[in-house]
Amino acid sequence: MALFEEASPICRGKNLSWETVLLFFNNMPREAMPKAKFNSYVETRINAWTQTHSQIARQLAFYYEENGMCYPRFTEKTSLQDLFAYMQNWATKYFIPNPYAPSLKGKVPTCIYSFIVKSINNGQKDFDEILDSIFHVKLSSHDKVNVYLSYFTNLFIDNNHQVSINERLGFVDSELYPAEEYATDTKKYFDYFTINVNKYSHVDIDTGTNSFRPYITAIKSKPFLLLAGISGTGKSRIVRELARACWEEGSAEYEAQKPKNFEMVQVKPNWHDSSELIGYVSRVSGSPVFVAGDFLKFVAKAWENPEMPYFLCLDEMNLAPVEQYFAEYLSVVESRKADENGVITTDPILKKCEEQWYFDLTAQLTRDDEVRARFNKDGISIPRNLIAVGTVNMDETTFSFSRKVLDRAMTIEMNEVDLYGGLHDRHEKIGKLEAGNLIGTAVEGVDVYWENKEVCDTALKYLQAVNLNLEGTPFKVAYRTRNEVLLYVVNNLPYNKDSKGNALSQDYVIARALDEITNMKILSRVEGDETKVSASFLDGLENTIKTGLVTVCPNLFEEGEGKKAYVSVSLAKLTEMKKRLTSGYTSFWS
């Protein structure tokens, strides 16, 4: 996001906010049509532009023109977060602004990038002169920097933002730029960079993230995660390392003991309300003053940097009753809604108050005028980039979770121990995590259903079969779980390679996701004595899950040459639960 806040050639007009660009994208025609018809079509739907529709469409590489016709690159609508991801992918790899967009002097080649490269190869090293020879108008220093960033993002710009052309331009070669014919053929240029609109937020997923995939996709599906397991397995550490992975390796924040997008809060056994987390109004001094808690302060920090994931770790979360001290969050997290532009909003966790203490509080929480204005107008709500993670140990000193908590959280167990782990590297090798990997724009099933109808229908058939086994029990799932199942399955689709980079079938990816979400959202709610949870009940559930997974992916459990049988986490958990039942009581929790 920071790149585009500065990149005026991309969103040049004063009305071209990201939301407006998304509106433009989602209202464009999805078929080829003559240029005049295209302009007329868009003008009847959007009237808030400071540039022509044709310029914007070309500049953002949504359309290209050839022989008087406008051709769309994409055929589906998208969300705000995916638009960011597309633009970032285009900007860092494919030379945005669209090199065919700006007006050129005389009879220079059609493609700006080609012209710059040829100028350099012909010995012309002064970047200012090169740009002056291209554009009709003399560019400001700011615009020159933007053009430089757009075309040569890997090159050096000094602290004074003065463009410097040097030997680093040697990076320009055929590996980064297609063959010469692409520089003069607009259609070939765009065809060369065609990508699926539903996949561009997941370009170049690092296979090194595979072992952390369940954490990443669970967070994207619902930014409230429970990490359960025996003490000392690194639950809080993994939260810190996920926050660290959002920074470039070697950067100050990456090397810091505590990255600024991570906050640890130790839960105390005496917490029975939210005063320690959110805060409280004190009247000791005579005038009311709000004493802000660490959670509220961290919420404000997250609002100030909305494109960076912020991780709040509640350590030993169930040392106190979660339903009491975390009540406001549990209510607000269920109010998350995505509007038609993919912008997620929630109800306020601290409502706006007309008393002076409230305005003093917002001034204390942030120096960002825009964020404070939001707080003063709408109250303090949960930003979409805030990720709450609770670490959980289940023993006689802790509280169990109610279904209210379990229904609102994604649960992952961490009971495996690798005694050699952490001895070779100081930090976990997660790989670089982009905002699009962790921050979702879809909140409900309807947000992903129609764009992924076949996949979602497969998941729904599986869920219906499982729910039949839960009929007549308090464990039957409803719409909230339905939504999270669909989100989790869809969010896992891009992770279609194994740790060695080998392709996985879509059926396998869907079945793996269904297995994991069954463990997270269904089995985590099952507990009771033999009157509630009988052996026959667990046997029937086990059979339904296994049959359902094989129906989705017929060879899931088969072994072959160079292929291991899939190990199901939900079936393994059911085996544990059946063993526990021999004592007269069973539950998901160890």
Side-chain angles (χ1 to χ4, degrees), residues 54-315:
S54 178
Q55 283 178 324
I56 294 165
R58 293 198 317 273
Q59 194 172 55
L60 299 178
F62 295 156
Y63 266 74
Y64 67 87
E65 294 180 16
E66 188 173 60
N67 299 325
M69 293 290 292
C70 289
Y71 296 89
R73 292 191 67 206
F74 306 120
T75 58
E76 301 291 339
K77 294 184 178 182
T78 192
S79 67
L80 190 62
Q81 182 64 33
D82 282 343
L83 178 65
F84 287 150
Y86 160 68
M87 293 299 289
Q88 186 170 22
N89 186 56
W90 183 255
T92 56
K93 294 194 176 92
Y94 309 139
F95 322 121
I96 192 78
N98 173 359
Y100 292 94
S103 301
L104 304 176
K105 275 187 177 181
K107 297 181 179 180
V108 298
T110 308
C111 178
I112 292 177
Y113 182 80
S114 176
F115 181 83
I116 294 175
V117 172
K118 285 182 177 181
S119 299
I120 295 166
N121 290 340
N122 289 334
Q124 188 174 356
K125 301 296 183 181
D126 189 294
F127 195 63
D128 286 7
E129 291 181 6
I130 293 174
L131 294 183
D132 288 344
S133 66
I134 294 176
F135 293 90
H136 283 296
V137 296
K138 190 172 181 65
L139 296 180
S140 67
S141 296
H142 181 253
D143 281 345
K144 287 175 182 176
V145 171
N146 285 326
V147 173
Y148 189 77
L149 284 170
S150 300
Y151 295 106
F152 304 105
T153 55
N154 292 333
L155 301 185
F156 174 77
I157 297 179
D158 67 25
N159 292 331
N160 294 320
H161 294 285
Q162 298 299 312
V163 176
S164 173
I165 295 287
N166 56 28
E167 67 276 3
R168 291 170 184 258
L169 287 177
F171 91 99
V172 178
D173 57 31
S174 59
E175 292 183 4
L176 294 176
Y177 186 65
E180 181 62 28
E181 68 261 24
Y182 293 100
T184 55
D185 188 317
T186 311
K187 185 177 187 302
K188 283 185 178 181
Y189 181 87
F190 283 105
D191 287 346
Y192 184 84
F193 294 122
T194 296
I195 48 179
N196 187 319
V197 71
N198 291 324
K199 300 292 177 64
Y200 51 60
S201 64
H202 306 290
V203 173
D204 295 336
I205 286 178
D206 185 352
T207 55
T209 66
N210 276 0
S211 59
F212 299 92
R213 173 193 50 78
Y215 305 93
I216 295 167
T217 53
I219 287 169
K220 187 170 184 178
S221 303
K222 186 73 169 286
F224 180 26
L225 185 64
L226 299 181
L227 297 183
I230 61 176
S231 180
T233 52
K235 297 184 291 296
S236 58
R237 175 184 171 87
I238 201 65
V239 185
R240 187 188 300 259
E241 295 305 315
L242 286 168
R244 188 187 310 281
C246 297
W247 303 93
E248 294 292 341
E249 189 168 351
S251 66
E253 291 298 333
Y254 185 90
E255 299 294 340
Q257 167 68 12
K258 186 175 84 70
K260 67 180 181 182
N261 62 328
F262 172 79
E263 185 67 36
M264 171 83 79
V265 176
Q266 289 83 19
V267 175
K268 304 296 191 299
N270 62 343
W271 286 6
H272 292 281
D273 59 41
S274 61
S275 58
E276 292 289 342
L277 277 181
I278 296 177
Y280 57 93
V281 177
S282 171
R283 301 181 186 274
V284 173
S285 64
S287 299
V289 175
F290 193 91
V291 180
D294 290 339
F295 174 66
L296 197 65
K297 293 175 184 177
F298 195 63
V299 165
K301 290 180 181 179
W303 270 114
E304 292 173 348
N305 193 4
E307 298 310 314
M308 171 62 69
Y310 273 65
F311 289 80
L312 173 78
C313 181
L314 294 168
D315 198 29

Side-chain angles (χ1 to χ4, degrees), residues 28-43:
M28 287 194 310
R30 302 298 174 188
E31 67 276 0
M33 59 179 62
K35 180 177 178 179
K37 183 178 180 181
F38 167 76
N39 285 338
S40 175
Y41 181 102
V42 181
E43 284 168 2

Side-chain angles (χ1 to χ4, degrees), residues 469 530 533-543 578 581:
N469 278 84
E530 291 174 311
V533 184
S534 65
S536 61
F537 168 77
L538 294 180
D539 286 338
L541 190 55
E542 180 182 46
N543 182 63
K578 286 194 288 185
L581 188 60

Side-chain angles (χ1 to χ4, degrees), residues 350-422:
L350 183 64
K351 294 181 180 179
K352 175 188 175 181
C353 176
E354 296 298 337
E355 295 187 44
Q356 187 57 42
W357 65 258
Y358 179 80
F359 299 104
D360 292 340
L361 169 66
T362 60
Q364 172 194 337
L365 289 175
T366 180
R367 295 182 180 180
D368 186 309
D369 291 339
E370 184 177 339
V371 173
R372 189 186 179 199
R374 173 189 288 273
F375 291 170
N376 288 343
K377 179 177 181 290
D378 301 322
I380 302 175
S381 58
I382 301 297
R384 66 190 182 94
N385 60 322
L386 182 77
I387 299 159
V389 183
T391 67
V392 179
N393 293 320
M394 282 294 185
D395 57 37
E396 64 279 1
T397 68
T398 61
F399 289 84
S400 61
F401 289 110
S402 69
R403 291 196 188 98
K404 177 179 180 179
V405 176
L406 295 176
D407 280 353
R408 286 159 172 76
M410 308 292 278
T411 302
I412 296 180
E413 279 198 299
M414 291 179 60
N415 282 327
E416 293 187 9
V417 178
D418 177 9
L419 296 180
Y420 288 91

